[in-house]
Amino acid sequence: MSTIDDAEIHLIVQRVLKQVLGQSQPVAAPVTPAPPAETVPAQGAPAQAKKVVAIGSDHGGYELKEILKTTLNELGFDVRDVGAYNKGAVDYPDFAHEVARLVSVGKAWRGIMIDGAGISSCIVANKVPGVRAGMAYDYSSAVNSREHNDTNVLTLGAGLIGVNLAKQIVKVWLTTEFGGGRHAGRVEKITAVEKQYLK
């Protein structure tokens, strides 16, 4: 099991404090996502399509999902809602699987799934090849999951966090870049483990 040394913890804390206090350039990229350089249209060409974020929830996460859909639209993303569509009791694996599937097959750039605690949906999403789901419960865990693990699905526990914190987590998760470097080799090892069990 790898550990984070004191110098790395210090750097992470400094970056988070600088962004929160507005003392320096933020760690995250600008809030409005820009298309990759190779997809920027030539002058006179049609505008690039918005990045798609798939979002889903069970009944426990329905209300937060509806709020976060508005936040995603405000940030300039195209939202693909896979349900649930009301607060009637449903099974979280159905929706977590669909969010993860859309990311896995490339129909969504990233995915967000919300249930009561966020843990169950994270387990389901991580069963889908090509998905690296992470549950975030605060600003730092959202940043860490992107910088260190290159997560492409975020799971949230509606019963554990409030609306304002959920919005902050989503914003920083969507705008934090993967750190690469030594983390890239570790993510490659995650993929290698996954491939051992694919049939």
Side-chain angles (χ1 to χ4, degrees), residues 1-57:
M1 184 167 130
S2 63
T3 58
I4 300 175
D5 62 30
D6 289 342
E8 187 173 348
I9 291 171
H10 181 71
L11 286 173
I12 291 170
V13 170
Q14 278 187 324
R15 284 185 294 210
V16 171
L17 285 174
K18 284 178 183 176
Q19 181 167 4
V20 171
L21 298 174
Q23 294 174 350
S24 181
Q25 290 184 341
V27 174
V31 171
T32 304
E38 67 273 13
T39 61
V40 174
Q43 208 151 21
Q48 176 69 28
K50 295 178 183 178
K51 288 183 179 176
V52 175
V53 176
I55 191 167
S57 73

Side-chain angles (χ1 to χ4, degrees), residues 81-123:
D81 184 353
V82 303
Y85 301 114
N86 56 54
K87 292 195 283 185
V90 292
D91 297 326
Y92 65 84
D94 299 332
F95 303 97
H97 180 210
E98 183 60 10
V99 167
R101 186 190 71 79
L102 290 172
V103 172
S104 177
V105 301
K107 291 189 176 179
W109 173 63
R110 299 246 181 101
I112 299 171
M113 176 63 195
I114 309 140
D115 63 26
I119 299 166
S120 326
S121 292
C122 192
I123 293 169

Side-chain angles (χ1 to χ4, degrees), residues 56 70 72 74 90 99 115 129 132 185:
T70 301
L72 291 168
E74 289 170 353
V90 292
V99 167
D115 63 26
R132 288 177 306 281

Side-chain angles (χ1 to χ4, degrees), residues 120-135:
S120 326
S121 292
C122 192
I123 293 169
V124 175
N126 277 313
K127 301 295 184 188
V128 179
V131 169
R132 288 177 306 281
M135 180 188 143

Side-chain angles (χ1 to χ4, degrees), residues 108-191:
W109 173 63
R110 299 246 181 101
I112 299 171
M113 176 63 195
I114 309 140
D115 63 26
I119 299 166
S120 326
S121 292
C122 192
I123 293 169
V124 175
N126 277 313
K127 301 295 184 188
V128 179
V131 169
R132 288 177 306 281
M135 180 188 143
Y137 46 85
D138 60 14
Y139 187 94
S140 296
S141 58
V143 170
N144 186 279
S145 78
R146 285 289 310 131
E147 282 188 348
H148 291 218
N149 311 119
D150 197 18
T151 51
N152 51 16
V153 170
L154 170 68
T155 67
L156 299 171
L160 303 179
I161 59 174
V163 171
N164 288 335
L165 178 55
K167 288 179 179 180
Q168 290 174 18
I169 289 170
V170 166
K171 287 177 186 177
V172 74
W173 183 77
L174 288 168
T175 57
T176 299
E177 296 295 329
F178 177 48
R182 68 186 185 283
H183 304 301
R186 294 165 184 166
V187 170
E188 286 170 12
K189 287 188 174 186
I190 293 171
T191 303

